[in-house]
């Protein structure tokens, strides 16, 4: 896109919203009282890196997986990170997200990047393409990995994050290793408690 054809004020406004994601703490970790929890942008970034890094099944479009990773939570720059514990029904959350994506798409240019953002968000939400399904697994894998990293820093009461299910061989293999590490630490912690009580 040529600079003279770009709506510069709108593009700057769009980028200001993206700045919000750099500082928006992931609400699930805030509720677990994690000090300095990851941000939404950090979560999206690691998912995009996973898309770049992992071997993909034949036919999967790596670039589209990266794009889906970067777009799937973009609406949170406007509505915030709404978790199941926030008391907002799923349909209402999705309505707010779509409204936010529409606003961001208008700023980015409906005919260009904005249209692409809307299409990618719709694809992710529909969960009908192989790429959307794989990226959903990356979303869960990043959550699982982040829970394990916080567990290693001494945070407890994260068991609910270790109950995710994975279909892709790539995500399954990684998840199994993370879960094995989690179980080993749980056994170690329980033994330490028992020894401390004696």
């Amino acid at each position: 896109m040529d600079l003279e054809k770009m709506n510069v004020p709108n593009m700057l406004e769009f980028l200001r919203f993206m700045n919000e994601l750099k500082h928006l703490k992931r609400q699930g970790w805030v509720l677990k009282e994690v000090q300095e929890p990851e941000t939404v942008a950090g979560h999206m970034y690691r998912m995009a890196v996973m898309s770049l890094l992992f071997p993909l099944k034949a036919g999967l479009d790596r670039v589209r997986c990266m794009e889906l990773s970067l777009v799937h939570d973009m609406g949170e720059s406007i509505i915030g990170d709404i978790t199941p514990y926030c008391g907002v029904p799923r349909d209402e959350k999705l309505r707010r997200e779509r409204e936010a994506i529409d606003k961001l798409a208008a700023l980015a240019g409906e005919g260009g990047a904005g249209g692409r953002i809307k299409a990618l968000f719709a694809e992710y939400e529909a969960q009908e393409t192989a790429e959307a399904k794989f990226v959903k697994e990356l979303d869960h894998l990043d959550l699982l990995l982040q829970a394990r990293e916080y567990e290693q820093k001494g945070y407890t009461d994260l068991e609910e994050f270790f109950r995710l299910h994975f279909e892709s061989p790539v995500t399954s293999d990684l998840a199994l290793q993370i879960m094995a590490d989690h179980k080993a630490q749980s056994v170690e912690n329980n033994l330490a408690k028992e020894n401390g009580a004696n």
Side-chain angles (χ1 to χ4, degrees), residues 17-18 20-22 24 26-27 38-45 47 66-82 93 97 100-101 104 117 120-121 124-125 135-136 139-140 142-143:
F17 278 117
M18 295 307 98
E20 293 300 314
L21 294 177
K22 289 165 60 177
L24 180 63
R26 296 256 285 160
Q27 193 60 28
E38 70 166 335
T39 64
V40 173
H43 163 65
M44 292 162 57
Y45 171 74
M47 286 175 61
M66 292 169 69
E67 290 175 326
L68 287 162
S69 296
L70 292 171
V71 167
H72 84 288
D73 280 343
M74 204 175 264
E76 293 181 12
S77 65
I78 294 173
I79 66 168
D81 185 15
I82 300 171
K93 176 182 184 258
E97 285 179 328
I101 289 293
L104 292 169
I117 287 167
L120 287 162
F121 180 79
Y124 182 78
E125 286 302 318
V135 171
K136 185 69 162 181
D139 185 35
H140 289 164
D142 183 62
L143 183 63

Side-chain angles (χ1 to χ4, degrees), residues 48-155:
V49 170
M50 288 175 179
S51 301
L52 175 67
L53 180 67
F54 294 167
L56 298 184
K57 187 172 72 175
L60 273 183
D61 182 332
R62 185 179 300 280
V63 172
R64 201 153 99 240
C65 289
M66 292 169 69
E67 290 175 326
L68 287 162
S69 296
L70 292 171
V71 167
H72 84 288
D73 280 343
M74 204 175 264
E76 293 181 12
S77 65
I78 294 173
I79 66 168
D81 185 15
I82 300 171
T83 73
Y85 300 104
C86 294
V88 177
R90 175 151 173 67
D91 289 348
E92 174 59 16
K93 176 182 184 258
L94 187 55
R95 185 195 68 74
R96 291 181 195 180
E97 285 179 328
R98 285 186 181 135
E99 214 171 74
I101 289 293
D102 287 347
K103 180 175 182 172
L104 292 169
L107 291 171
E110 292 283 352
R116 183 83 176 140
I117 287 167
K118 281 175 79 167
L120 287 162
F121 180 79
E123 179 181 349
Y124 182 78
E125 286 302 318
Q127 284 295 296
E128 292 173 355
T129 66
E131 286 82 1
K133 290 174 182 174
F134 182 70
V135 171
K136 185 69 162 181
E137 293 219 348
L138 296 183
D139 185 35
H140 289 164
L141 182 64
D142 183 62
L143 183 63
L144 181 68
L145 185 54
Q146 191 65 65
R148 178 68 186 127
E149 289 162 355
Y150 287 143
E151 181 180 58
Q152 288 174 303
K153 290 182 176 180
Y155 290 96

